Amino acid sequence: MNKTIKASIAGLGFGVPDRVLTNRDLEKMVDTSDEWIRTRTGISERRVIDKGMGTSDLAAKAAVAAMKSAGVKPEEIELIITATSTPDMPLPSCACLVQQKIGAGKAAAFDLAAACSGFVYGLATGEQFIRTGFYKNVLVIGADAISSYIDWTDRSTCVLFGDGAGAAVLKPSTDHGILASSLGSDGQYADLLTISCGGSKRPASHASVDEKGHYLKMAGAEVFKLAVRGMTDSVTEALSRAGVKQDEIACFIPHQANLRIIDAVAERLDLPKEKIFVNLQKYGNTSAASCAIALCEAVEQKKVKKGDKVVLATFGSGLVWAAMVIEW
Ligand code: UT7
């Protein structure tokens, strides 16, 4: 591993579906209210794919935008990592479908499953290939179409999620880039957030459909508490590994699941509101895409400047959490 080479984010892009589903729309579908959703989560609307679309469509859109912003051609991409829990289908991988759609014919491609933490896990994985000199252009995508797994009669979950994708092109740099990360997981909490059927253990059957086994189920309150702890601890560890102090953070990009979770993490880390980037009001929780879209919008809105220390923090099913410190 060459310690003088860092993996830097050379370009970012995102893609969301055109269809907007507002809290008012949900009021007509389940026993909920715009007021409840906004005060308990901060979400006002989310994007949802149309029938016939898949995660790879969103991922490809994000990838094309990221390559354009990095000034990299599809044939220059050497590796595509697509972090997703909702690939178009079990086989082939979503990464291979993205490869086909963007024309990155020379790349190796694979999917990475770390739920909502997938984008940061993907960046940390891509970073290893860059720092060893193995690859010079790595495309990392966080993409999910969770709406395909939502029970639209379950108010405890259907108001929370949205579809989207965000992508980054990693390149080697000698002066800036990823400084450190902290990746964690605890499988003893696996039951708290699941889609239990449709895999090898319980493949699709009439019984699995009848018992709604293909829908996402979540123990929200338990996940909430563990999310606050997991994100706070991983940020603390990543900062310490990077040798960066908490007051040096210029922009904090948390997983966009719930504004109350973000506020609780910010309070524990003693971070002022103006340093925290929030866009969940527009997109809800887009799972692996969440942090990626937020980072992309933060850069577009000039909340991140050259030399800034940016911190990403994520949390999701597994349970899996991650944080990363990046010098921009
Ligand atoms: O990205 C993966 C990680 N996921 C997360 O980070 C999500 C973590 N959890 C959460 O964000 C929150 O726990 C939720 C937003 C899911 C729920 O908020 P909460 O404050 O924990 O509410 P609760 O589940 O304790 O429910 C409070 C009440 C219940 O009614 P009763 O039992 O007090 O009468 C629920 O039935 O709110 C009710 N409720 C709703 N009411 C209106 C639950 N969902 C809704 C709804 N509209 N959509």
Side-chain angles (χ1 to χ4, degrees):
M1 183 83 73
N2 185 339
K3 291 221 180 233
T4 59
I5 301 288
K6 295 188 186 79
S8 73
I9 295 181
L12 287 162
F14 75 96
V16 290
D18 294 334
R19 184 147 74 98
V20 177
L21 190 67
T22 65
N23 292 350
R24 295 283 179 207
D25 294 328
L26 286 162
E27 281 179 353
K28 295 176 200 135
M29 296 160 66
V30 288
D31 180 15
T32 190
S33 66
D34 172 56
E35 208 256 331
W36 190 97
I37 303 169
R38 277 190 295 102
T39 53
R40 304 310 292 166
T41 72
I43 301 164
S44 295
E45 59 187 43
R46 67 289 292 141
R47 303 298 183 99
V48 176
I49 55 167
D50 285 313
K51 273 209 170 71
M53 269 183 100
T55 297
S56 71
D57 297 306
L58 303 174
K61 198 169 163 189
V64 168
M67 289 188 296
K68 189 172 173 216
S69 105
V72 169
K73 295 192 196 73
E75 56 272 23
E76 293 175 285
I77 297 293
E78 296 162 285
L79 174 64
I80 303 169
I81 302 173
T82 304
T84 186
S85 309
T86 56
D88 294 24
M89 55 195 88
L91 293 171
S93 71
C94 190
C96 284
L97 298 177
V98 172
Q99 174 179 36
Q100 178 201 38
K101 285 182 172 139
I102 66 175
K106 295 191 180 135
F110 65 87
D111 284 0
L112 183 155
C116 300
S117 293
F119 182 64
V120 175
Y121 265 66
L123 288 178
T125 305
E127 178 197 6
Q128 310 309 312
F129 288 98
I130 297 281
R131 286 186 53 194
T132 54
F134 201 84
Y135 290 132
K136 295 204 161 37
N137 289 298
V138 174
L139 178 62
V140 179
I141 308 167
D144 270 309
I146 294 278
S147 69
S148 300
Y149 296 89
I150 289 296
D151 176 356
W152 293 103
T153 65
D154 175 7
R155 69 175 185 176
S156 72
T157 52
C158 75
V159 303
L160 304 174
F161 294 91
D163 302 335
V169 174
L170 291 180
K171 275 177 162 290
S173 166
T174 46
D175 70 347
H176 67 288
I178 297 169
L179 299 181
S181 47
S182 165
L183 310 179
S185 64
D186 192 340
Q188 73 169 313
Y189 297 114
D191 289 343
L192 294 184
L193 179 40
T194 61
I195 298 167
S196 57
C197 294
S200 56
K201 187 170 179 187
R202 303 226 31 223
S205 65
H206 287 293
S208 72
V209 172
D210 289 346
E211 70 186 56
K212 297 188 167 188
H214 300 275
Y215 291 135
L216 179 145
K217 293 193 183 61
M218 176 168 70
E222 284 93 326
V223 173
F224 189 115
K225 278 183 238 139
L226 292 159
V228 174
R229 197 202 302 160
M231 284 164 71
T232 307
D233 291 352
S234 55
V235 168
T236 305
E237 186 165 277
L239 285 173
S240 145
R241 284 183 185 161
V244 169
K245 293 198 200 72
Q246 169 275 350
D247 61 3
E248 291 178 71
I249 299 173
C251 189
F252 179 57
I253 316 255
H255 177 47
Q256 309 282 315
N258 187 323
L259 193 53
R260 291 187 295 135
I261 295 178
I262 295 175
D263 286 346
V265 172
E267 193 188 313
R268 279 163 179 74
L269 293 170
D270 199 17
L271 284 173
K273 275 210 160 34
E274 60 273 15
K275 290 188 173 179
I276 303 159
F277 189 80
V278 174
N279 66 357
L280 57 73
Q281 67 282 2
K282 294 190 289 181
Y283 304 120
N285 179 352
T286 55
S287 188
S290 169
C291 234
I293 298 175
L295 177 62
C296 189
E297 286 200 331
V299 171
E300 280 177 2
Q301 293 170 23
K302 310 221 179 314
K303 308 262 185 212
V304 176
K305 300 180 301 295
K306 181 143 181 53
D308 276 354
K309 305 280 193 314
V310 179
V311 172
L312 312 181
T314 57
F315 190 86
S317 167
L319 296 174
V320 173
W321 54 89
M324 177 170 274
V325 184
I326 305 170
E327 183 173 344
W328 211 253

